[in-house]
Amino acid sequence: MVKRLLVRAGIGLAIAAVTGAGIQKIRADRKREEDHSYLDPKWDEVSSVDADKDTDEVGLTQLDSIYRAEWQANAYPRSEAERKALEE
């Protein structure tokens, strides 16, 4: 009877340890999701790195360049004229 009690207590402690580790991981993931420190505020102040290589990048900030690359990857029209041409 004592042996059975010790086994059940050991199993209970193991389950508690695994649950605690899982809760800590969930909390760490949520904290990481809320932390936007990887977005450098200077990106919207510094000129684009590719401004000297690409004429379309002249006058854009690094953040604008990132958005432009994303728009091109998703095939957004570059200008109002292109948008109207696509609609017709």
Side-chain angles (χ1 to χ4, degrees):
M1 185 163 149
V2 173
K3 185 177 179 181
R4 186 180 292 170
L5 179 65
L6 290 175
V7 169
R8 288 182 181 175
I11 292 172
L13 288 173
I15 291 172
V18 169
T19 304
I23 290 172
Q24 285 180 345
K25 178 160 177 31
I26 290 170
R27 285 183 179 164
D29 289 345
R30 284 186 182 165
K31 183 178 180 183
R32 187 176 42 85
E33 287 174 2
E34 293 172 359
D35 179 26
H36 297 293
S37 62
Y38 61 89
L39 291 175
D40 191 358
K42 295 178 184 175
W43 285 359
D44 203 22
E45 299 170 0
V46 179
S47 296
S48 172
V49 180
D50 296 327
D52 57 343
K53 302 171 196 164
D54 187 2
T55 57
D56 292 335
E57 295 277 327
V58 174
L60 297 180
T61 63
Q62 287 182 354
L63 185 62
D64 294 336
S65 177
I66 292 168
Y67 288 147
R68 179 179 176 272
E70 182 179 339
W71 293 336
Q72 285 182 335
N74 292 321
Y76 287 112
R78 293 172 50 182
S79 66
E80 184 69 20
E82 286 182 17
R83 188 184 62 79
K84 288 181 180 179
L86 287 173
E87 287 177 357
E88 295 175 355

